[in-house]
């Protein structure tokens, strides 16, 4: 039940953070709510073994999701250390939410369709979701970075990093 609740919160907060304006207080609160619910979701995912009875392909998806989440959060938290933080935040969080949508498809088709169709229906459709999400991330990155990336005025207002040593 905790896994399901965390998944619903992650879907809601992640979708809202994705669709609403970025670089706002609301975006940050939604983002942290998404990260917290994803942490609960991922921790509980590693305790569920009903699909294969052992560590399986769904768990490898959770490992990838954890990596994407760490990349996105790490980029935002460590932004003073690097100039490309916005790109890595976009890639990491975009991959994380895309993986969450794909996992939703996996769970839905696995529960609704006969197990004999698992490889075609579940993995096939979730692969389409991953492909579509990847394409959308690639397609909208230029417009996104133009809207939310560092403008000349923002770059001038941001203190430059001085190399140590």
């Amino acid at each position: 039940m905790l896994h399901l609740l965390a998944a619903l919160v992650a879907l809601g907060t992640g979708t809202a953070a994705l669709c609403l304006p970025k670089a706002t207080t609301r975006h940050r609160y939604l983002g942290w709510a998404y990260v917290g619910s994803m942490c609960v979701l991922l921790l509980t995912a590693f305790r569920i073994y009903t699909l294969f009875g052992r560590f399986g392909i769904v768990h490898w998806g959770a490992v990838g999701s954890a990596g994407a989440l760490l990349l996105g959060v790490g980029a935002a938290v460590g932004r003073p250390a690097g100039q490309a933080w916005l790109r890595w935040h976009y890639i990491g969080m975009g991959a994380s939410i895309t993986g969450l949508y794909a996992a939703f498809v996996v769970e839905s088709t696995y529960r609704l369709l006969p197990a004999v169709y698992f490889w075609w229906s579940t993995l096939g459709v979730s692969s389409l979701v991953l492909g579509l999400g990847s394409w959308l991330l690639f397609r909208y990155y230029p417009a996104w970075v133009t809207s939310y990336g560092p403008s000349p005025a923002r770059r001038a207002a941001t203190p430059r990093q001085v190399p140590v040593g």
Side-chain angles (χ1 to χ4, degrees):
M1 189 54 90
L2 182 61
H3 183 76
L4 177 63
L5 181 61
L8 293 173
V9 170
L11 281 167
T13 57
T15 301
L18 185 68
C19 295
L20 294 172
K22 312 298 181 270
T24 64
T25 302
R26 179 171 48 178
H27 176 77
R28 288 181 190 96
Y29 284 137
L30 287 168
W32 283 115
Y34 173 76
V35 169
S37 60
M38 281 299 292
C39 287
V40 172
L41 179 69
L42 291 167
L43 289 172
T44 57
F46 290 113
R47 300 185 48 82
I48 299 172
Y49 294 95
T50 56
L51 186 58
F52 295 110
R54 59 181 166 73
F55 193 92
I57 192 167
V58 177
H59 296 101
W60 284 111
V63 170
S65 181
L69 190 65
L70 284 172
L71 176 66
V73 171
V77 170
R79 70 176 162 250
Q83 299 233 342
W85 76 270
L86 194 59
R87 173 183 297 167
W88 292 110
H89 178 66
Y90 178 86
I91 291 169
M93 298 312 280
S96 177
I97 191 76
T98 301
L100 180 62
Y101 290 138
F104 176 74
V105 168
V106 166
E107 284 294 323
S108 299
T109 56
Y110 168 69
R111 307 252 183 243
L112 298 174
L113 300 173
V116 70
Y117 301 117
F118 174 78
W119 293 106
W120 297 107
S121 63
T122 300
L123 294 182
V125 176
S126 65
S127 295
L128 289 174
V129 169
L130 287 172
L132 177 63
S134 299
W135 179 80
L136 287 170
L137 287 170
F138 178 76
R139 164 74 175 84
Y140 288 102
Y141 179 73
W144 183 84
V145 80
T146 302
S147 297
Y148 301 108
S151 67
R154 275 194 225 140
R155 278 193 297 258
T158 306
R160 299 215 184 268
Q161 292 293 323
V162 178
V164 178

